[in-house]
Amino acid sequence: MTDASALPGQPRGVVGSGPATARALNVLAPNPSAMTLDGTNTWILAEPDSDLAVVIDPGPLDEGHLRAVVDTAEKAGRRIALTLLTHGHADHAEGAGRFAELTGTRVRALDPALRLGDEGLAAGDVITTGGLELRVVPTPGHTSDSLSFHLPADRAVLTGDTVLGRGTTMVAHPDGRLGDYLDSLRRLRSLTVDDGVHTVLPGHGPVLEDAQGAVEFYLAHRAHRLAQVETAVENGHRGAADVVAHVYADVDRSLWPAAELSVRAQLEYLGEHGLI
């Protein structure tokens, strides 16, 4: 058995519904897959003594899951007062409209097309609900609209798909861009160094106890993959599909379509920087 403490980010045990920090509780959506890992983590956040809660990423349009989120909050004596989205992919956001109907909440997101209500989200925004403080951190790259949420009181950051609890994420080219993604990882690393963040509450997979270790692993992984892609091109592998078959030969073929998006982003990045 592999020691979790030896894995990047020190993942915490089995993924499931339940408390993760003093202010964060997960309700796991029933949508496991190769892309969503164990399923989407829907986060309920609240101050311990508050009767108001914030939900991040209601998840897929699954009535049972959406009602389970509401029931979980109500059983804890809380009313959901606000819904936030890390980004617009369906496994995170498709259920937001129905969730807003069930809870009577606004939905705030970076992308205006995803919002329900007048307020969006922007870099530097500070959200306060029931005494809870969340700081909006722009983390584009996986998608152009990707955001993370810094929860200072728990020294935690909710990363959506920017950092996962297991494995690595894709850069969803052409919307996602590798340069933006690398900048976002560096921004998250700054949170771990300058703001004391030590816990990652991801959109998929287990909670990570070593936020800095996880981000450093992601940066090293990206540098390694980029070097592999550059070498592959130098050796005559030109098309994205050809590069994937060469560089990702040891990866489950079901993940190759996602890998091809990342490779396209890498090829674009290398071209922009005059490296190929």
Side-chain angles (χ1 to χ4, degrees), residues 168-214:
T168 56
T169 196
M170 68 171 178
V171 178
H173 184 271
D175 180 52
R177 295 174 58 84
L178 181 58
D180 291 342
Y181 187 64
L182 294 174
D183 288 343
S184 293
L185 291 177
R186 296 183 189 109
R187 193 170 296 119
L188 290 174
R189 182 172 58 186
S190 293
L191 284 181
T192 71
V193 173
D194 301 330
D195 296 278
V197 166
H198 62 67
T199 302
V200 173
L201 304 176
H204 304 281
V207 172
L208 300 177
E209 304 282 8
D210 176 16
Q212 184 173 352

Short mmCIF file of all heavy atoms in Angstrom, two decimals, residues 168-214:
data_model
loop_
_atom_site.label_atom_id
_atom_site.label_comp_id
_atom_site.label_asym_id
_atom_site.label_seq_id
_atom_site.Cartn_x
_atom_site.Cartn_y
_atom_site.Cartn_z
N THR A 168 -3.11 15.08 -12.23
CA THR A 168 -2.97 16.46 -12.69
C THR A 168 -4.15 16.81 -13.59
O THR A 168 -4.88 15.94 -14.04
CB THR A 168 -1.66 16.66 -13.47
OG1 THR A 168 -1.60 15.72 -14.55
CG2 THR A 168 -0.46 16.45 -12.56
N THR A 169 -4.30 18.08 -13.85
CA THR A 169 -5.44 18.54 -14.64
C THR A 169 -5.00 18.87 -16.07
O THR A 169 -3.81 18.94 -16.37
CB THR A 169 -6.08 19.77 -13.98
OG1 THR A 169 -7.38 19.99 -14.53
CG2 THR A 169 -5.25 21.03 -14.19
N MET A 170 -5.99 19.08 -16.93
CA MET A 170 -5.68 19.42 -18.32
C MET A 170 -5.80 20.93 -18.52
O MET A 170 -6.48 21.62 -17.76
CB MET A 170 -6.65 18.72 -19.27
CG MET A 170 -8.08 19.21 -19.19
SD MET A 170 -9.11 18.52 -20.51
CE MET A 170 -10.70 19.25 -20.11
N VAL A 171 -5.12 21.40 -19.54
CA VAL A 171 -5.30 22.77 -20.01
C VAL A 171 -6.23 22.68 -21.21
O VAL A 171 -5.87 22.13 -22.25
CB VAL A 171 -3.96 23.41 -20.41
CG1 VAL A 171 -4.16 24.82 -20.94
CG2 VAL A 171 -3.01 23.42 -19.21
N ALA A 172 -7.46 23.16 -21.04
CA ALA A 172 -8.53 22.90 -22.01
C ALA A 172 -8.42 23.85 -23.21
O ALA A 172 -9.23 24.77 -23.39
CB ALA A 172 -9.89 23.03 -21.34
N HIS A 173 -7.42 23.64 -24.04
CA HIS A 173 -7.19 24.43 -25.25
C HIS A 173 -8.41 24.32 -26.18
O HIS A 173 -9.04 23.27 -26.26
CB HIS A 173 -5.95 23.88 -25.96
CG HIS A 173 -5.54 24.64 -27.18
ND1 HIS A 173 -6.03 24.35 -28.42
CD2 HIS A 173 -4.70 25.68 -27.33
CE1 HIS A 173 -5.51 25.17 -29.31
NE2 HIS A 173 -4.70 26.00 -28.67
N PRO A 174 -8.80 25.41 -26.86
CA PRO A 174 -8.13 26.71 -26.96
C PRO A 174 -8.55 27.72 -25.89
O PRO A 174 -7.93 28.77 -25.77
CB PRO A 174 -8.56 27.20 -28.34
CG PRO A 174 -9.93 26.63 -28.51
CD PRO A 174 -9.89 25.27 -27.85
N ASP A 175 -9.60 27.40 -25.12
CA ASP A 175 -10.02 28.33 -24.07
C ASP A 175 -8.96 28.44 -22.99
O ASP A 175 -8.64 29.53 -22.52
CB ASP A 175 -11.35 27.85 -23.48
CG ASP A 175 -11.86 28.77 -22.38
OD1 ASP A 175 -11.94 29.99 -22.64
OD2 ASP A 175 -12.17 28.28 -21.29
N GLY A 176 -8.40 27.31 -22.59
CA GLY A 176 -7.33 27.32 -21.61
C GLY A 176 -5.99 27.56 -22.28
O GLY A 176 -5.75 27.10 -23.40
N ARG A 177 -5.10 28.28 -21.59
CA ARG A 177 -3.79 28.61 -22.14
C ARG A 177 -2.71 28.24 -21.12
O ARG A 177 -2.85 28.52 -19.92
CB ARG A 177 -3.69 30.09 -22.50
CG ARG A 177 -4.65 30.48 -23.63
CD ARG A 177 -4.63 32.00 -23.88
NE ARG A 177 -3.30 32.49 -24.20
CZ ARG A 177 -2.77 32.47 -25.43
NH1 ARG A 177 -3.48 32.00 -26.45
NH2 ARG A 177 -1.56 32.93 -25.65
N LEU A 178 -1.63 27.64 -21.60
CA LEU A 178 -0.59 27.14 -20.71
C LEU A 178 0.11 28.28 -19.96
O LEU A 178 0.39 28.16 -18.76
CB LEU A 178 0.44 26.31 -21.47
CG LEU A 178 1.57 25.72 -20.63
CD1 LEU A 178 1.02 24.84 -19.53
CD2 LEU A 178 2.55 24.96 -21.49
N GLY A 179 0.40 29.38 -20.64
CA GLY A 179 1.05 30.50 -19.97
C GLY A 179 0.22 31.00 -18.80
O GLY A 179 0.75 31.28 -17.70
N ASP A 180 -1.09 31.13 -19.01
CA ASP A 180 -1.98 31.54 -17.93
C ASP A 180 -1.96 30.53 -16.80
O ASP A 180 -1.98 30.90 -15.61
CB ASP A 180 -3.42 31.68 -18.45
CG ASP A 180 -3.60 32.85 -19.40
OD1 ASP A 180 -2.75 33.75 -19.40
OD2 ASP A 180 -4.60 32.84 -20.15
N TYR A 181 -1.95 29.25 -17.16
CA TYR A 181 -1.99 28.20 -16.15
C TYR A 181 -0.73 28.22 -15.28
O TYR A 181 -0.81 28.11 -14.04
CB TYR A 181 -2.15 26.84 -16.81
CG TYR A 181 -2.36 25.72 -15.83
CD1 TYR A 181 -3.48 25.68 -15.01
CD2 TYR A 181 -1.42 24.71 -15.70
CE1 TYR A 181 -3.67 24.66 -14.09
CE2 TYR A 181 -1.60 23.68 -14.78
CZ TYR A 181 -2.73 23.67 -13.98
OH TYR A 181 -2.91 22.66 -13.07
N LEU A 182 0.42 28.39 -15.89
CA LEU A 182 1.66 28.46 -15.13
C LEU A 182 1.65 29.67 -14.20
O LEU A 182 2.08 29.58 -13.04
CB LEU A 182 2.86 28.51 -16.07
CG LEU A 182 3.09 27.25 -16.92
CD1 LEU A 182 4.22 27.49 -17.93
CD2 LEU A 182 3.40 26.05 -16.05
N ASP A 183 1.15 30.79 -14.68
CA ASP A 183 1.03 31.98 -13.82
C ASP A 183 0.10 31.71 -12.64
O ASP A 183 0.35 32.15 -11.52
CB ASP A 183 0.52 33.17 -14.62
CG ASP A 183 1.56 33.74 -15.58
OD1 ASP A 183 2.76 33.44 -15.42
OD2 ASP A 183 1.16 34.48 -16.51
N SER A 184 -0.98 30.97 -12.90
CA SER A 184 -1.94 30.66 -11.84
C SER A 184 -1.31 29.76 -10.78
O SER A 184 -1.53 29.95 -9.57
CB SER A 184 -3.18 29.99 -12.43
OG SER A 184 -3.90 30.90 -13.24
N LEU A 185 -0.54 28.78 -11.22
CA LEU A 185 0.14 27.91 -10.25
C LEU A 185 1.12 28.72 -9.40
O LEU A 185 1.22 28.52 -8.18
CB LEU A 185 0.87 26.79 -10.97
CG LEU A 185 0.00 25.73 -11.64
CD1 LEU A 185 0.86 24.72 -12.39
CD2 LEU A 185 -0.89 25.00 -10.63
N ARG A 186 1.80 29.66 -10.02
CA ARG A 186 2.72 30.51 -9.24
C ARG A 186 1.95 31.38 -8.26
O ARG A 186 2.42 31.65 -7.14
CB ARG A 186 3.56 31.36 -10.20
CG ARG A 186 4.48 30.52 -11.09
CD ARG A 186 5.35 31.40 -11.98
NE ARG A 186 6.06 30.59 -12.98
CZ ARG A 186 5.78 30.58 -14.26
NH1 ARG A 186 4.81 31.36 -14.75
NH2 ARG A 186 6.47 29.81 -15.10
N ARG A 187 0.77 31.82 -8.68
CA ARG A 187 -0.07 32.62 -7.77
C ARG A 187 -0.50 31.79 -6.57
O ARG A 187 -0.50 32.27 -5.43
CB ARG A 187 -1.28 33.14 -8.56
CG ARG A 187 -2.08 34.23 -7.85
CD ARG A 187 -3.10 34.84 -8.80
NE ARG A 187 -2.45 35.53 -9.91
CZ ARG A 187 -2.59 35.21 -11.19
NH1 ARG A 187 -3.36 34.19 -11.55
NH2 ARG A 187 -1.99 35.89 -12.12
N LEU A 188 -0.87 30.54 -6.82
CA LEU A 188 -1.24 29.66 -5.71
C LEU A 188 -0.04 29.36 -4.82
O LEU A 188 -0.17 29.28 -3.60
CB LEU A 188 -1.83 28.36 -6.26
CG LEU A 188 -3.20 28.47 -6.91
CD1 LEU A 188 -3.61 27.14 -7.54
CD2 LEU A 188 -4.27 28.92 -5.91
N ARG A 189 1.13 29.21 -5.43
CA ARG A 189 2.34 28.99 -4.61
C ARG A 189 2.59 30.18 -3.70
O ARG A 189 2.98 30.01 -2.53
CB ARG A 189 3.55 28.75 -5.51
CG ARG A 189 4.83 28.47 -4.71
CD ARG A 189 5.97 28.06 -5.61
NE ARG A 189 6.27 29.06 -6.63
CZ ARG A 189 7.15 28.88 -7.61
NH1 ARG A 189 7.80 27.72 -7.72
NH2 ARG A 189 7.37 29.82 -8.50
N SER A 190 2.32 31.38 -4.19
CA SER A 190 2.49 32.57 -3.35
C SER A 190 1.54 32.53 -2.14
O SER A 190 1.91 32.96 -1.04
CB SER A 190 2.24 33.85 -4.16
OG SER A 190 3.24 34.02 -5.14
N LEU A 191 0.34 32.00 -2.34
CA LEU A 191 -0.58 31.87 -1.21
C LEU A 191 -0.01 30.95 -0.15
O LEU A 191 -0.17 31.17 1.05
CB LEU A 191 -1.93 31.31 -1.68
CG LEU A 191 -2.89 32.24 -2.41
CD1 LEU A 191 -4.17 31.48 -2.74
CD2 LEU A 191 -3.22 33.48 -1.59
N THR A 192 0.67 29.89 -0.59
CA THR A 192 1.23 28.96 0.39
C THR A 192 2.43 29.55 1.10
O THR A 192 2.66 29.27 2.29
CB THR A 192 1.64 27.63 -0.28
OG1 THR A 192 2.79 27.81 -1.11
CG2 THR A 192 0.50 27.06 -1.12
N VAL A 193 3.20 30.38 0.41
CA VAL A 193 4.42 30.95 0.99
C VAL A 193 4.11 32.21 1.80
O VAL A 193 4.61 32.38 2.92
CB VAL A 193 5.44 31.27 -0.12
CG1 VAL A 193 6.64 32.02 0.44
CG2 VAL A 193 5.89 30.00 -0.83
N ASP A 194 3.29 33.09 1.24
CA ASP A 194 3.07 34.41 1.84
C ASP A 194 1.85 34.48 2.75
O ASP A 194 1.80 35.32 3.65
CB ASP A 194 2.93 35.48 0.75
CG ASP A 194 4.16 35.56 -0.15
OD1 ASP A 194 5.26 35.28 0.35
OD2 ASP A 194 4.00 35.90 -1.34
N ASP A 195 0.87 33.61 2.52
CA ASP A 195 -0.39 33.70 3.27
C ASP A 195 -0.66 32.46 4.13
O ASP A 195 -1.74 32.36 4.72
CB ASP A 195 -1.56 33.91 2.30
CG ASP A 195 -1.46 35.23 1.56
OD1 ASP A 195 -1.87 36.25 2.14
OD2 ASP A 195 -0.96 35.26 0.43
N GLY A 196 0.28 31.56 4.19
CA GLY A 196 0.15 30.43 5.10
C GLY A 196 -0.85 29.37 4.71
O GLY A 196 -1.27 28.56 5.55
N VAL A 197 -1.25 29.34 3.45
CA VAL A 197 -2.21 28.31 3.01
C VAL A 197 -1.52 26.95 3.02
O VAL A 197 -0.44 26.79 2.45
CB VAL A 197 -2.74 28.63 1.59
CG1 VAL A 197 -3.46 27.42 1.00
CG2 VAL A 197 -3.69 29.82 1.65
N HIS A 198 -2.14 25.99 3.67
CA HIS A 198 -1.56 24.65 3.70
C HIS A 198 -2.51 23.56 3.24
O HIS A 198 -2.10 22.41 3.06
CB HIS A 198 -1.03 24.30 5.10
CG HIS A 198 -2.07 24.27 6.18
ND1 HIS A 198 -3.08 23.33 6.23
CD2 HIS A 198 -2.25 25.07 7.26
CE1 HIS A 198 -3.83 23.55 7.30
NE2 HIS A 198 -3.37 24.60 7.93
N THR A 199 -3.79 23.88 3.04
CA THR A 199 -4.78 22.86 2.66
C THR A 199 -5.41 23.21 1.32
O THR A 199 -5.82 24.36 1.10
CB THR A 199 -5.89 22.75 3.73
OG1 THR A 199 -5.29 22.42 4.98
CG2 THR A 199 -6.90 21.67 3.36
N VAL A 200 -5.48 22.23 0.43
CA VAL A 200 -6.18 22.37 -0.84
C VAL A 200 -7.50 21.61 -0.76
O VAL A 200 -7.52 20.42 -0.46
CB VAL A 200 -5.35 21.83 -2.02
CG1 VAL A 200 -6.18 21.84 -3.31
CG2 VAL A 200 -4.08 22.64 -2.21
N LEU A 201 -8.60 22.32 -1.02
CA LEU A 201 -9.92 21.72 -1.13
C LEU A 201 -10.26 21.70 -2.62
O LEU A 201 -10.71 22.70 -3.18
CB LEU A 201 -10.95 22.54 -0.34
CG LEU A 201 -10.62 22.77 1.14
CD1 LEU A 201 -11.67 23.68 1.78
CD2 LEU A 201 -10.53 21.46 1.89
N PRO A 202 -9.99 20.58 -3.30
CA PRO A 202 -10.08 20.53 -4.76
C PRO A 202 -11.50 20.27 -5.26
O PRO A 202 -12.39 19.88 -4.51
CB PRO A 202 -9.16 19.37 -5.12
CG PRO A 202 -9.34 18.42 -3.97
CD PRO A 202 -9.53 19.29 -2.74
N GLY A 203 -11.68 20.46 -6.56
CA GLY A 203 -12.96 20.17 -7.18
C GLY A 203 -13.20 18.69 -7.39
O GLY A 203 -14.34 18.25 -7.56
N HIS A 204 -12.12 17.90 -7.37
CA HIS A 204 -12.21 16.45 -7.52
C HIS A 204 -11.08 15.82 -6.70
O HIS A 204 -9.98 16.37 -6.64
CB HIS A 204 -12.05 16.01 -8.97
CG HIS A 204 -13.02 16.64 -9.91
ND1 HIS A 204 -14.33 16.21 -10.05
CD2 HIS A 204 -12.89 17.68 -10.77
CE1 HIS A 204 -14.94 16.95 -10.96
NE2 HIS A 204 -14.09 17.87 -11.40
N GLY A 205 -11.34 14.67 -6.11
CA GLY A 205 -10.30 13.96 -5.40
C GLY A 205 -10.20 14.37 -3.95
O GLY A 205 -10.94 15.22 -3.46
N PRO A 206 -9.25 13.77 -3.22
CA PRO A 206 -9.14 14.00 -1.79
C PRO A 206 -8.57 15.37 -1.44
O PRO A 206 -7.90 16.01 -2.26
CB PRO A 206 -8.19 12.90 -1.33
CG PRO A 206 -7.36 12.59 -2.54
CD PRO A 206 -8.29 12.76 -3.71
N VAL A 207 -8.84 15.80 -0.22
CA VAL A 207 -8.22 17.00 0.33
C VAL A 207 -6.71 16.79 0.39
O VAL A 207 -6.23 15.70 0.70
CB VAL A 207 -8.79 17.28 1.74
CG1 VAL A 207 -8.03 18.41 2.42
CG2 VAL A 207 -10.27 17.60 1.66
N LEU A 208 -5.96 17.86 0.09
CA LEU A 208 -4.51 17.81 0.15
C LEU A 208 -4.02 18.59 1.37
O LEU A 208 -4.40 19.75 1.56
CB LEU A 208 -3.90 18.40 -1.12
CG LEU A 208 -4.28 17.69 -2.43
CD1 LEU A 208 -3.66 18.41 -3.62
CD2 LEU A 208 -3.83 16.23 -2.40
N GLU A 209 -3.17 17.96 2.15
CA GLU A 209 -2.69 18.57 3.39
C GLU A 209 -1.45 19.43 3.19
O GLU A 209 -1.08 20.21 4.07
CB GLU A 209 -2.36 17.47 4.41
CG GLU A 209 -3.52 16.52 4.72
CD GLU A 209 -4.53 17.12 5.67
OE1 GLU A 209 -4.43 18.34 5.97
OE2 GLU A 209 -5.43 16.38 6.10
N ASP A 210 -0.79 19.29 2.05
CA ASP A 210 0.45 20.02 1.77
C ASP A 210 0.28 20.81 0.49
O ASP A 210 0.67 20.38 -0.60
CB ASP A 210 1.62 19.03 1.65
CG ASP A 210 2.94 19.70 1.27
OD1 ASP A 210 3.04 20.94 1.39
OD2 ASP A 210 3.86 18.98 0.85
N ALA A 211 -0.34 21.99 0.62
CA ALA A 211 -0.65 22.80 -0.56
C ALA A 211 0.60 23.18 -1.33
O ALA A 211 0.63 23.12 -2.56
CB ALA A 211 -1.42 24.05 -0.14
N GLN A 212 1.65 23.58 -0.63
CA GLN A 212 2.87 23.98 -1.32
C GLN A 212 3.48 22.81 -2.07
O GLN A 212 3.90 22.94 -3.23
CB GLN A 212 3.88 24.56 -0.34
CG GLN A 212 5.12 25.10 -1.04
CD GLN A 212 6.06 25.84 -0.10
OE1 GLN A 212 5.73 26.10 1.05
NE2 GLN A 212 7.24 26.18 -0.58
N GLY A 213 3.50 21.64 -1.44
CA GLY A 213 4.03 20.46 -2.11
C GLY A 213 3.25 20.11 -3.36
O GLY A 213 3.83 19.72 -4.39
N ALA A 214 1.92 20.25 -3.29
CA ALA A 214 1.08 19.96 -4.45
C ALA A 214 1.37 20.91 -5.60
O ALA A 214 1.52 20.49 -6.75
CB ALA A 214 -0.40 20.04 -4.06
#
